[in-house]
Amino acid sequence: VRVEIMASYTAISSISKKIAELMHKELVPELIPSEEYIGFAAPNERDSLMVGIFLYDIRESDEIKANQMSARDLSTMRFPPVYLNLYYMITAYAEGDILFRSLREEMILGKIIRYFHDNSIIMREEGNIPAKIELMKMSMEEKTKIWSFAGMPYKLSVFYKVSPVTIDSERIQKVTRVTSVDIRVVGGKQNIQEE
């Protein structure tokens, strides 16, 4: 019996959830008091978060392109999946006086950078291709363009790319397989018939 592992439309949210879980494990309670202070929000919607995870872009991968259908079972083929790159901005927010706050935020970001440098592969429950998380090399101009939230001043953040993230197609095509071959020799000539 063949069990098909699907990378469904939830693949994007699964990656985001996994990133948050890894940060919970790494930052709580040493630098962040509890998991509720790490979450998903644009900088202008962060409320009481101390670490904000913001998925700011999703693009189709230029590195991986699928153009071949895969066998679903003996009578159907599945159309190729789409491979995506996810782009995250992670920002730390600390409370208190400005000197303490800045140092605390730098420690939080330093620990995040170290963790993802040492653990750059993200395994998921669904799908069979692990995703790689990598720190992006970006200019300050690129960062400030992303950080354009109603006139808010830029705050030190780290930017990551996660790829590939796979979403399988639900389109299928019926196929007829060759089930038998009948080879006959008639008058010195070979006659092959496929069914």
Side-chain angles (χ1 to χ4, degrees), residues 43 91 93 143-144 147-157:
T91 310
Y93 306 93
K143 292 177 183 181
T144 51
W147 186 286
S148 55
F149 299 95
M152 292 178 66
Y154 174 77
K155 189 166 185 56
L156 185 63
S157 302

Side-chain angles (χ1 to χ4, degrees), residues 31-48:
L31 294 172
I32 305 291
S34 72
E35 293 179 3
E36 67 189 45
Y37 292 104
I38 300 171
F40 306 99
N44 60 335
E45 301 170 338
R46 76 170 186 94
D47 291 328
S48 61

Side-chain angles (χ1 to χ4, degrees), residues 8-9 12 23 25 53 59 66-67 77 79-80 84 88 90 92 105 107 110 113 120 142 161 165 173 183 186 194:
S8 78
Y9 66 90
I12 296 168
M23 284 201 271
K25 191 174 108 181
I53 305 162
R59 297 183 195 166
N67 54 12
M77 298 286 286
F79 277 73
L84 303 172
Y88 290 91
I90 300 172
E105 290 168 355
M107 286 192 289
I113 291 167
S120 61
E142 290 172 307
K161 172 182 162 185
V165 176
Q173 181 174 334
I183 302 174
V186 179
E194 295 181 351

